[in-house]
Amino acid sequence: MSKVWRLHTKPKVSVKNKLETKVANELIKRKIVAIGWTLREDIYNELTATGKNELEEDEKSIKDDFEKYKKIIEKNNYETIKGEKKSFFYGKVNPNLIRLNNLKKDDLIWIRSKGKYHLGRVTEKSHYLYAYRDSQKNSDILKLGINNQFTDIDWCEVGSESDIPGRILIAFYQREALIEIDEKFVVDISQILYNKRDNYYKIPNKIVNNKENFYNLLSPYDCEDLLYFYLYHKNKYIAIPSTNKTSTQNYEFVMLNSNNRDGKIYIQVKNGYSKGSDLYLENFKGIDGIVYLLTTAGNIYETKTKKKLLQIDFKQNYEFEEIGSTENNKKIYVVNPEALYEFAKEAYKDETILMPQSILQWFKYLEEEKE
């Protein structure tokens, strides 16, 4: 089965040379996946002329043999100006390079460049290459920090952030240079999106239309919008645009009761299955207004320290459940993710319901589960 990977395209060398914005385009132009940890960084400038000559001879032997690169890192020591013998990267091969060499035919890799997201397929010709270049013509490889390569990648542009499934966007928040997104859903949707350009993968054109897959397609911003339009549709609450600030800690934005401009409603939304999707009731006690909390797959606790899990039962009230109150006796509600999912499905079929296309677009990739 194919795997799906996410690659950051800002090696330290490229950042040092102020060329980080050019790396992704260079990968696409050269039809490669590449990351840093070249042998012209780290201890290179500490080496004597003899040490550098020895290293350069060793580099020539690598070519497309990753084991020889590993040997240089793990086994070899080079003479430094201070008279010491040192190894590159403390004698340890970076785990990202191990993952790079785990790429297999038909794996897919996501990268982004200047707001555009690209998807690359590993082909039958793809292989590891240490791009040793000492000529002026190819000096940009060293400046960009892209010596460690996987060749013959078939790249296609998918689109901007609004065209990318939320689960994949979230993978770009993680710091590691190269990671696998190890979820069947991600494999399915990535192959479907790749097939829009080249009908290569023999897979169904849609995935199961269920709550989990739906929220995996939504970005965190989509989830905020979904709750907003739900509350507008149900209660005619209206957002105050200036309150939608990324610096706010305990709420995403503020809404007003359309019948009472003093009636403020505060919204907090978390999407996904990570620890960052959990919410803590104590964080909302000081808010002077009604609070609506939504976590699509996390938990809600009384406090962050004691970790007392709230037991929430939506059977009595399908849409919301009251779970507490603020210090000013304003109610705190938790929103049922299932209710929002059903509302989005209704909006997809009913054009009279206001809903952004960034949310509705994903239903064309979903199909109802067969009984």
Side-chain angles (χ1 to χ4, degrees):
M1 179 180 174
S2 320
K3 294 181 178 181
V4 174
W5 306 80
R6 188 276 298 136
L7 174 69
H8 282 315
T9 56
K10 292 184 179 181
K12 288 183 179 178
V13 172
S14 69
V15 175
K16 180 180 178 181
N17 292 322
K18 299 181 180 179
L19 295 171
E20 64 270 28
T21 60
K22 296 184 177 181
V23 174
N25 287 341
E26 197 68 22
L27 301 189
I28 294 165
K29 183 177 76 174
R30 293 176 182 269
K31 297 185 177 180
I32 60 172
V33 172
I35 50 182
W37 297 281
T38 71
L39 298 174
R40 299 302 179 92
E41 55 182 310
D42 194 41
I43 66 168
Y44 181 76
N45 289 329
E46 299 178 40
L47 303 183
T48 62
T50 301
K52 287 181 179 179
N53 287 335
E54 184 183 351
L55 168 67
E56 288 162 14
E57 288 302 311
D58 289 337
E59 273 186 310
K60 291 176 184 177
S61 72
I62 299 173
K63 295 183 180 178
D64 56 2
D65 190 338
F66 182 59
E67 292 304 313
K68 289 184 178 179
Y69 173 89
K70 287 176 64 179
K71 181 181 177 182
I72 290 175
I73 301 294
E74 296 173 344
K75 308 287 185 182
N76 293 12
N77 293 303
Y78 298 94
E79 185 179 343
T80 69
I81 297 170
K82 293 182 178 181
E84 301 171 327
K85 285 283 188 175
K86 281 191 175 183
S87 59
F88 277 87
F89 308 112
Y90 302 100
K92 295 181 180 179
V93 177
N94 192 281
N96 291 281
L97 284 169
I98 304 294
R99 289 191 281 271
L100 179 73
N101 281 274
N102 283 335
L103 295 178
K104 298 291 188 296
K105 179 179 176 292
D106 294 337
D107 281 2
L108 290 166
I109 307 103
W110 285 96
I111 65 171
R112 65 181 174 188
S113 172
K114 298 178 181 178
K116 295 293 183 181
Y117 290 76
H118 302 261
L119 188 56
R121 178 176 64 85
V122 179
T123 68
E124 60 278 356
K125 295 181 181 179
S126 300
H127 62 89
Y128 170 76
L129 175 68
Y130 183 79
Y132 172 82
R133 297 290 186 272
D134 206 23
S135 66
Q136 188 64 31
K137 179 182 176 182
N138 291 296
S139 63
D140 54 342
I141 287 180
L142 289 173
K143 291 178 181 177
L144 293 167
I146 55 173
N147 285 62
N148 284 289
Q149 302 180 359
F150 218 75
T151 69
D152 296 281
I153 304 297
D154 184 20
W155 289 106
C156 66
E157 182 179 317
V158 178
S160 59
E161 186 170 297
S162 62
D163 304 306
I164 307 304
R167 180 61 188 88
I168 293 166
L169 291 177
I170 290 170
F172 280 90
Y173 300 163
Q174 295 172 258
R175 296 179 62 183
E176 286 282 354
L178 179 66
I179 62 168
E180 180 189 356
I181 314 175
D182 187 16
E183 298 170 28
K184 184 180 183 302
F185 161 81
V186 172
V187 174
D188 289 344
I189 192 63
S190 297
Q191 290 181 345
I192 288 170
L193 291 173
Y194 181 87
N195 275 0
K196 290 175 69 177
R197 199 234 29 199
D198 179 3
N199 195 26
Y200 177 84
Y201 292 97
K202 307 303 179 186
I203 58 168
N205 291 323
K206 293 190 175 183
I207 55 181
V208 175
N209 188 355
N210 59 32
K211 176 169 68 74
E212 180 179 350
N213 287 341
F214 172 69
Y215 282 115
N216 275 330
L217 286 164
L218 298 191
S219 73
Y221 297 116
D222 289 331
C223 275
E224 292 174 25
D225 290 345
L226 176 59
L227 181 55
Y228 167 73
F229 281 95
Y230 182 78
L231 292 173
Y232 172 79
H233 182 79
K234 294 291 182 179
N235 302 314
K236 292 298 181 285
Y237 295 159
I238 301 171
I240 305 174
S242 62
T243 62
N244 189 8
K245 306 295 183 184
T246 56
S247 60
T248 26
Q249 295 297 310
N250 295 331
Y251 59 88
E252 309 294 351
F253 53 86
V254 181
M255 303 179 76
L256 287 181
N257 185 327
S258 59
N259 296 318
N260 175 13
R261 67 183 183 182
D262 293 324
K264 292 183 178 180
I265 296 94
Y266 292 79
I267 308 300
Q268 179 59 277
V269 177
K270 298 291 183 182
N271 186 27
Y273 289 81
S274 67
K275 289 182 180 179
S277 298
D278 292 336
L279 292 170
Y280 304 94
L281 203 58
E282 64 179 346
N283 291 339
F284 308 97
K285 294 291 186 178
I287 291 178
D288 187 19
I290 298 173
V291 179
Y292 284 94
L293 306 178
L294 169 66
T295 176
T296 62
N299 293 310
I300 299 180
Y301 298 92
E302 285 279 0
T303 66
K304 196 167 187 176
T305 52
K306 293 183 179 179
K307 282 281 187 177
K308 181 181 178 182
L309 180 65
L310 293 181
Q311 299 299 320
I312 299 168
D313 183 6
F314 288 108
K315 292 179 181 178
Q316 295 178 356
N317 184 333
Y318 181 68
E319 300 170 326
F320 313 113
E321 184 74 18
E322 184 180 341
I323 57 172
S325 60
T326 68
E327 293 168 356
N328 291 332
N329 295 319
K330 304 293 185 180
K331 293 181 179 180
I332 301 176
Y333 294 100
V334 60
V335 182
N336 187 352
E338 185 73 35
L340 288 190
Y341 166 58
E342 293 297 331
F343 172 65
K345 287 199 295 184
E346 182 185 359
Y348 181 63
K349 298 173 183 177
D350 185 351
E351 294 185 0
T352 65
I353 298 175
L354 284 177
M355 184 71 67
Q357 185 59 27
S358 60
I359 296 171
L360 297 178
Q361 67 174 328
W362 299 115
F363 283 104
K364 65 186 176 185
Y365 303 115
L366 299 168
E367 65 178 355
E368 293 295 339
E369 194 168 6
K370 297 179 177 62
E371 296 183 359

